[in-house]
Amino acid sequence: MDDLADSFFAAVCGGDVDTLTELYAPDARIWHNEDGREQTVQENLRVLRWLARTLEDFRYEDVRRHTLPTGFAQQHVLRAVLPGHGLLEVPAALFVRVTGGRITRIDEYVDSAAIAPLLATSAGAKHDIATPFASTTEGTIA
């Protein structure tokens, strides 16, 4: 389970969509507490590509991971430099369900105040989307 988790978070930081696509089950769902919505894999990949392109020195630190019978739980602090803002520190916890070696569901809890600069940056982006974190297919973050 640790290998899958390590691969997942390395792929997120690197914007490696091919690896992420392999790690996700095709019908996986990703839920975030800040908007209460579920994303499809494709919606989530758009967000993760945007994060990898937008953030500098993107990394996960203070990682505490626990293997569960159905996957794993991880607490961490996402740290990165957000151009125009400075250091970004986002405490988060994820509960990840894994079936057959692939991620089938993620429930992610983040500090909504800590992601406010990301939301403001995404709202000001050239893309026709209010926020990359919304589970809508109207946006064009790619």
Side-chain angles (χ1 to χ4, degrees):
M1 198 61 64
D2 278 337
D3 289 343
L4 182 143
D6 289 342
S7 295
F8 176 78
F9 289 104
V12 170
C13 288
D16 183 351
V17 173
D18 291 337
T19 296
L20 291 167
T21 300
E22 288 300 314
L23 292 174
Y24 277 132
D27 59 347
R29 293 293 180 262
I30 301 88
W31 176 88
H32 301 96
N33 72 297
E34 84 280 350
D35 65 6
R37 297 180 181 167
E38 288 185 351
Q39 292 178 326
T40 66
V41 170
Q42 290 306 310
E43 290 166 339
N44 187 250
L45 291 175
R46 271 200 316 274
V47 172
L48 296 178
R49 278 193 303 264
W50 181 83
L51 286 174
R53 283 195 323 265
T54 302
L55 298 176
E56 299 171 359
D57 194 23
F58 182 7
R59 63 205 183 275
Y60 293 96
E61 296 182 331
D62 304 329
V63 174
R64 294 175 306 276
R65 186 179 302 148
H66 309 279
T67 301
L68 304 172
T70 59
F72 65 94
Q74 178 168 309
Q75 294 172 275
H76 58 249
V77 179
L78 179 156
R79 289 194 174 95
V81 174
L82 178 61
H85 171 76
L87 181 63
L88 186 71
E89 294 187 326
V90 181
L94 283 80
F95 295 89
V96 181
R97 190 177 312 147
V98 177
T99 304
R102 297 180 88 182
I103 295 169
T104 58
R105 182 171 181 86
I106 297 176
D107 290 287
E108 181 175 28
Y109 297 84
V110 300
D111 178 342
S112 58
I115 65 166
L118 275 173
L119 297 175
T121 298
S122 69
K126 293 186 241 180
H127 304 289
D128 180 28
I129 189 167
T131 169
F133 302 98
S135 55
T136 176
T137 56
E138 296 171 14
T140 57
I141 289 182

